[in-house]
Amino acid sequence: MRVSGLRSGVVPLESWLWGRTLAFGVLDFGGQTDSSWRRERILNVPLCREDCEQWWEDCQDSATCKVNWHKGWNWTTGTNQCPHGAMCQKFKYVFPTPADLCEKVWSHSYKYSTERRGSGRCIQMWFDPIEGNPNVAVAQYYALGPAADPHPTPLVLLAPLALVLLGVTPWG
């Protein structure tokens, strides 16, 4: 799979988030989940519109046999294989829209956002750490901003995410 704009030093969002959130359990940006199959995860993280659309554009002609990549693979050979009887299809048929891909491929870890990069309201999938981390402002907004908003979005466990993004750990 080709990922547009990736270059040396650019941090993929999932690696960055996973590496910083495991101490906090489920990071939930709203919604219900059954996390019995995984003890730590992110949920409904708002992805910037451009990132989600570019991801879909880059992958639309690639093939997949599953909608949800978090679970359900055939591991009998020691590597993940398509489940028996699953048919491979192009992404654009399995995920007809960018929102379908971004929200379904990783069990709703991400949520398609109409917000744009730089808005401070959505996570950027890829960023160059030399230029600073744009996702810190997003975590601060969701941890602190909605408290002042007269129409807050229901969000759970965002203060720990803000602390992680700011480099503060719960153990000091």
mmCIF file of all heavy atoms in Angstrom, residues 6-35:
data_model
loop_
_atom_site.group_PDB
_atom_site.id
_atom_site.type_symbol
_atom_site.label_atom_id
_atom_site.label_comp_id
_atom_site.label_asym_id
_atom_site.label_seq_id
_atom_site.Cartn_x
_atom_site.Cartn_y
_atom_site.Cartn_z
ATOM 1 N N LEU A 6 4.406 10.065 2.883
ATOM 2 C CA LEU A 6 5.273 9.465 3.891
ATOM 3 C C LEU A 6 6.727 9.616 3.473
ATOM 4 O O LEU A 6 7.082 9.363 2.342
ATOM 5 C CB LEU A 6 4.966 7.975 4.066
ATOM 6 C CG LEU A 6 4.006 7.626 5.164
ATOM 7 C CD1 LEU A 6 3.819 6.124 5.218
ATOM 8 C CD2 LEU A 6 4.431 8.136 6.508
ATOM 9 N N ARG A 7 7.544 10.045 4.395
ATOM 10 C CA ARG A 7 8.973 10.150 4.134
ATOM 11 C C ARG A 7 9.707 9.877 5.432
ATOM 12 O O ARG A 7 9.097 9.798 6.484
ATOM 13 C CB ARG A 7 9.327 11.521 3.571
ATOM 14 C CG ARG A 7 8.963 12.675 4.491
ATOM 15 C CD ARG A 7 9.171 14.007 3.777
ATOM 16 N NE ARG A 7 8.940 15.113 4.655
ATOM 17 C CZ ARG A 7 7.760 15.635 4.921
ATOM 18 N NH1 ARG A 7 6.698 15.156 4.340
ATOM 19 N NH2 ARG A 7 7.640 16.640 5.747
ATOM 20 N N SER A 8 10.989 9.721 5.349
ATOM 21 C CA SER A 8 11.778 9.411 6.529
ATOM 22 C C SER A 8 11.517 10.442 7.624
ATOM 23 O O SER A 8 11.517 11.641 7.370
ATOM 24 C CB SER A 8 13.255 9.403 6.156
ATOM 25 O OG SER A 8 14.041 9.116 7.275
ATOM 26 N N GLY A 9 11.285 9.962 8.838
ATOM 27 C CA GLY A 9 11.060 10.859 9.966
ATOM 28 C C GLY A 9 9.604 11.184 10.217
ATOM 29 O O GLY A 9 9.273 11.792 11.211
ATOM 30 N N VAL A 10 8.721 10.802 9.310
ATOM 31 C CA VAL A 10 7.303 11.077 9.491
ATOM 32 C C VAL A 10 6.700 9.962 10.333
ATOM 33 O O VAL A 10 6.947 8.787 10.102
ATOM 34 C CB VAL A 10 6.584 11.187 8.135
ATOM 35 C CG1 VAL A 10 5.094 11.365 8.332
ATOM 36 C CG2 VAL A 10 7.150 12.363 7.350
ATOM 37 N N VAL A 11 5.919 10.330 11.331
ATOM 38 C CA VAL A 11 5.381 9.371 12.295
ATOM 39 C C VAL A 11 3.948 8.995 11.924
ATOM 40 O O VAL A 11 3.077 9.854 11.879
ATOM 41 C CB VAL A 11 5.383 9.988 13.716
ATOM 42 C CG1 VAL A 11 4.800 9.020 14.720
ATOM 43 C CG2 VAL A 11 6.792 10.405 14.098
ATOM 44 N N PRO A 12 3.673 7.710 11.650
ATOM 45 C CA PRO A 12 2.286 7.303 11.439
ATOM 46 C C PRO A 12 1.507 7.462 12.743
ATOM 47 O O PRO A 12 2.009 7.112 13.806
ATOM 48 C CB PRO A 12 2.381 5.828 11.044
ATOM 49 C CG PRO A 12 3.807 5.610 10.665
ATOM 50 C CD PRO A 12 4.598 6.610 11.457
ATOM 51 N N LEU A 13 0.294 7.968 12.664
ATOM 52 C CA LEU A 13 -0.519 8.267 13.840
ATOM 53 C C LEU A 13 -0.735 7.057 14.729
ATOM 54 O O LEU A 13 -0.579 7.147 15.938
ATOM 55 C CB LEU A 13 -1.875 8.828 13.416
ATOM 56 C CG LEU A 13 -2.866 9.024 14.561
ATOM 57 C CD1 LEU A 13 -2.379 10.115 15.499
ATOM 58 C CD2 LEU A 13 -4.233 9.324 14.036
ATOM 59 N N GLU A 14 -1.094 5.911 14.166
ATOM 60 C CA GLU A 14 -1.422 4.753 15.010
ATOM 61 C C GLU A 14 -0.216 4.367 15.861
ATOM 62 O O GLU A 14 -0.353 4.122 17.052
ATOM 63 C CB GLU A 14 -1.880 3.569 14.163
ATOM 64 C CG GLU A 14 -2.200 2.385 15.038
ATOM 65 C CD GLU A 14 -3.489 1.697 14.709
ATOM 66 O OE1 GLU A 14 -4.439 2.331 14.260
ATOM 67 O OE2 GLU A 14 -3.534 0.487 14.920
ATOM 68 N N SER A 15 0.970 4.333 15.280
ATOM 69 C CA SER A 15 2.168 4.000 16.058
ATOM 70 C C SER A 15 2.374 5.023 17.164
ATOM 71 O O SER A 15 2.678 4.680 18.300
ATOM 72 C CB SER A 15 3.402 3.992 15.164
ATOM 73 O OG SER A 15 3.259 3.030 14.165
ATOM 74 N N TRP A 16 2.199 6.269 16.836
ATOM 75 C CA TRP A 16 2.407 7.344 17.796
ATOM 76 C C TRP A 16 1.392 7.257 18.934
ATOM 77 O O TRP A 16 1.744 7.327 20.100
ATOM 78 C CB TRP A 16 2.311 8.680 17.069
ATOM 79 C CG TRP A 16 2.521 9.849 17.949
ATOM 80 C CD1 TRP A 16 3.711 10.357 18.371
ATOM 81 C CD2 TRP A 16 1.507 10.662 18.529
ATOM 82 N NE1 TRP A 16 3.494 11.432 19.171
ATOM 83 C CE2 TRP A 16 2.161 11.647 19.275
ATOM 84 C CE3 TRP A 16 0.123 10.661 18.467
ATOM 85 C CZ2 TRP A 16 1.454 12.609 19.972
ATOM 86 C CZ3 TRP A 16 -0.567 11.631 19.157
ATOM 87 C CH2 TRP A 16 0.111 12.586 19.897
ATOM 88 N N LEU A 17 0.109 7.069 18.603
ATOM 89 C CA LEU A 17 -0.920 6.996 19.635
ATOM 90 C C LEU A 17 -0.754 5.753 20.504
ATOM 91 O O LEU A 17 -0.803 5.829 21.714
ATOM 92 C CB LEU A 17 -2.317 6.981 19.010
ATOM 93 C CG LEU A 17 -2.961 8.319 18.732
ATOM 94 C CD1 LEU A 17 -4.293 8.122 18.024
ATOM 95 C CD2 LEU A 17 -3.146 9.156 19.971
ATOM 96 N N TRP A 18 -0.547 4.580 19.869
ATOM 97 C CA TRP A 18 -0.416 3.342 20.637
ATOM 98 C C TRP A 18 0.758 3.426 21.583
ATOM 99 O O TRP A 18 0.689 2.995 22.722
ATOM 100 C CB TRP A 18 -0.238 2.133 19.720
ATOM 101 C CG TRP A 18 -1.518 1.648 19.154
ATOM 102 C CD1 TRP A 18 -1.886 1.725 17.851
ATOM 103 C CD2 TRP A 18 -2.610 1.039 19.837
ATOM 104 N NE1 TRP A 18 -3.137 1.201 17.700
ATOM 105 C CE2 TRP A 18 -3.603 0.769 18.896
ATOM 106 C CE3 TRP A 18 -2.827 0.692 21.168
ATOM 107 C CZ2 TRP A 18 -4.799 0.159 19.223
ATOM 108 C CZ3 TRP A 18 -4.025 0.095 21.495
ATOM 109 C CH2 TRP A 18 -4.998 -0.168 20.524
ATOM 110 N N GLY A 19 1.852 3.980 21.125
ATOM 111 C CA GLY A 19 3.040 4.047 21.954
ATOM 112 C C GLY A 19 2.881 4.950 23.157
ATOM 113 O O GLY A 19 3.640 4.868 24.112
ATOM 114 N N ARG A 20 1.894 5.803 23.160
ATOM 115 C CA ARG A 20 1.715 6.754 24.238
ATOM 116 C C ARG A 20 0.457 6.537 25.058
ATOM 117 O O ARG A 20 0.213 7.236 26.008
ATOM 118 C CB ARG A 20 1.714 8.163 23.662
ATOM 119 C CG ARG A 20 3.105 8.575 23.269
ATOM 120 C CD ARG A 20 3.085 9.748 22.317
ATOM 121 N NE ARG A 20 4.437 10.203 22.044
ATOM 122 C CZ ARG A 20 5.299 9.578 21.256
ATOM 123 N NH1 ARG A 20 4.964 8.454 20.681
ATOM 124 N NH2 ARG A 20 6.502 10.043 21.058
ATOM 125 N N THR A 21 -0.393 5.590 24.685
ATOM 126 C CA THR A 21 -1.676 5.462 25.370
ATOM 127 C C THR A 21 -1.863 4.171 26.135
ATOM 128 O O THR A 21 -2.855 4.026 26.837
ATOM 129 C CB THR A 21 -2.835 5.571 24.359
ATOM 130 O OG1 THR A 21 -2.703 4.525 23.406
ATOM 131 C CG2 THR A 21 -2.850 6.912 23.686
ATOM 132 N N LEU A 22 -0.964 3.234 26.029
ATOM 133 C CA LEU A 22 -1.195 1.928 26.635
ATOM 134 C C LEU A 22 -1.411 1.991 28.139
ATOM 135 O O LEU A 22 -2.129 1.174 28.691
ATOM 136 C CB LEU A 22 -0.052 0.976 26.293
ATOM 137 C CG LEU A 22 0.044 0.643 24.809
ATOM 138 C CD1 LEU A 22 1.211 -0.298 24.560
ATOM 139 C CD2 LEU A 22 -1.238 0.041 24.278
ATOM 140 N N ALA A 23 -0.837 2.960 28.806
ATOM 141 C CA ALA A 23 -0.990 3.060 30.260
ATOM 142 C C ALA A 23 -2.399 3.476 30.670
ATOM 143 O O ALA A 23 -2.785 3.310 31.812
ATOM 144 C CB ALA A 23 0.010 4.070 30.814
ATOM 145 N N PHE A 24 -3.192 3.978 29.756
ATOM 146 C CA PHE A 24 -4.488 4.533 30.120
ATOM 147 C C PHE A 24 -5.684 3.664 29.753
ATOM 148 O O PHE A 24 -6.803 4.034 30.002
ATOM 149 C CB PHE A 24 -4.662 5.909 29.463
ATOM 150 C CG PHE A 24 -3.645 6.893 29.939
ATOM 151 C CD1 PHE A 24 -2.621 7.297 29.105
ATOM 152 C CD2 PHE A 24 -3.681 7.382 31.231
ATOM 153 C CE1 PHE A 24 -1.674 8.196 29.551
ATOM 154 C CE2 PHE A 24 -2.735 8.273 31.673
ATOM 155 C CZ PHE A 24 -1.728 8.678 30.832
ATOM 156 N N GLY A 25 -5.476 2.513 29.132
ATOM 157 C CA GLY A 25 -6.608 1.672 28.752
ATOM 158 C C GLY A 25 -7.293 2.217 27.523
ATOM 159 O O GLY A 25 -6.650 2.669 26.598
ATOM 160 N N VAL A 26 -8.607 2.201 27.492
ATOM 161 C CA VAL A 26 -9.375 2.646 26.337
ATOM 162 C C VAL A 26 -9.412 4.163 26.287
ATOM 163 O O VAL A 26 -9.831 4.804 27.242
ATOM 164 C CB VAL A 26 -10.819 2.089 26.380
ATOM 165 C CG1 VAL A 26 -11.628 2.632 25.222
ATOM 166 C CG2 VAL A 26 -10.810 0.579 26.360
ATOM 167 N N LEU A 27 -8.984 4.729 25.188
ATOM 168 C CA LEU A 27 -9.110 6.166 24.962
ATOM 169 C C LEU A 27 -10.329 6.352 24.085
ATOM 170 O O LEU A 27 -10.317 6.017 22.909
ATOM 171 C CB LEU A 27 -7.858 6.716 24.280
ATOM 172 C CG LEU A 27 -6.629 6.719 25.174
ATOM 173 C CD1 LEU A 27 -5.418 7.179 24.391
ATOM 174 C CD2 LEU A 27 -6.844 7.591 26.373
ATOM 175 N N ASP A 28 -11.392 6.862 24.648
ATOM 176 C CA ASP A 28 -12.687 6.900 23.998
ATOM 177 C C ASP A 28 -13.073 8.335 23.674
ATOM 178 O O ASP A 28 -13.238 9.156 24.563
ATOM 179 C CB ASP A 28 -13.717 6.262 24.936
ATOM 180 C CG ASP A 28 -15.070 6.091 24.306
ATOM 181 O OD1 ASP A 28 -15.296 6.618 23.190
ATOM 182 O OD2 ASP A 28 -15.918 5.441 24.921
ATOM 183 N N PHE A 29 -13.223 8.639 22.387
ATOM 184 C CA PHE A 29 -13.648 9.953 21.951
ATOM 185 C C PHE A 29 -15.166 9.967 21.776
ATOM 186 O O PHE A 29 -15.698 10.740 21.019
ATOM 187 C CB PHE A 29 -12.965 10.327 20.628
ATOM 188 C CG PHE A 29 -11.566 10.830 20.810
ATOM 189 C CD1 PHE A 29 -10.538 9.975 21.142
ATOM 190 C CD2 PHE A 29 -11.279 12.169 20.640
ATOM 191 C CE1 PHE A 29 -9.252 10.438 21.300
ATOM 192 C CE2 PHE A 29 -9.994 12.635 20.803
ATOM 193 C CZ PHE A 29 -8.980 11.777 21.126
ATOM 194 N N GLY A 30 -15.877 9.100 22.460
ATOM 195 C CA GLY A 30 -17.338 9.064 22.407
ATOM 196 C C GLY A 30 -17.827 7.741 21.862
ATOM 197 O O GLY A 30 -17.291 7.233 20.901
ATOM 198 N N GLY A 31 -18.834 7.167 22.476
ATOM 199 C CA GLY A 31 -19.421 5.930 21.972
ATOM 200 C C GLY A 31 -19.196 4.762 22.903
ATOM 201 O O GLY A 31 -18.505 4.858 23.895
ATOM 202 N N GLN A 32 -19.818 3.651 22.567
ATOM 203 C CA GLN A 32 -19.736 2.428 23.351
ATOM 204 C C GLN A 32 -18.852 1.436 22.609
ATOM 205 O O GLN A 32 -18.832 1.404 21.404
ATOM 206 C CB GLN A 32 -21.135 1.816 23.513
ATOM 207 C CG GLN A 32 -22.089 2.713 24.261
ATOM 208 C CD GLN A 32 -21.817 2.688 25.751
ATOM 209 O OE1 GLN A 32 -21.372 1.708 26.287
ATOM 210 N NE2 GLN A 32 -22.081 3.795 26.423
ATOM 211 N N THR A 33 -18.155 0.622 23.348
ATOM 212 C CA THR A 33 -17.331 -0.403 22.720
ATOM 213 C C THR A 33 -17.246 -1.638 23.582
ATOM 214 O O THR A 33 -17.369 -1.563 24.795
ATOM 215 C CB THR A 33 -15.903 0.108 22.438
ATOM 216 O OG1 THR A 33 -15.203 -0.921 21.733
ATOM 217 C CG2 THR A 33 -15.157 0.445 23.702
ATOM 218 N N ASP A 34 -17.043 -2.752 22.920
ATOM 219 C CA ASP A 34 -16.725 -3.991 23.616
ATOM 220 C C ASP A 34 -15.230 -4.177 23.455
ATOM 221 O O ASP A 34 -14.762 -4.500 22.379
ATOM 222 C CB ASP A 34 -17.478 -5.164 22.994
ATOM 223 C CG ASP A 34 -16.987 -6.505 23.518
ATOM 224 O OD1 ASP A 34 -16.329 -6.528 24.579
ATOM 225 O OD2 ASP A 34 -17.258 -7.516 22.862
ATOM 226 N N SER A 35 -14.473 -3.929 24.502
ATOM 227 C CA SER A 35 -13.026 -4.057 24.403
ATOM 228 C C SER A 35 -12.540 -5.347 25.054
ATOM 229 O O SER A 35 -11.389 -5.450 25.442
ATOM 230 C CB SER A 35 -12.341 -2.835 25.022
ATOM 231 O OG SER A 35 -12.694 -2.719 26.374
#
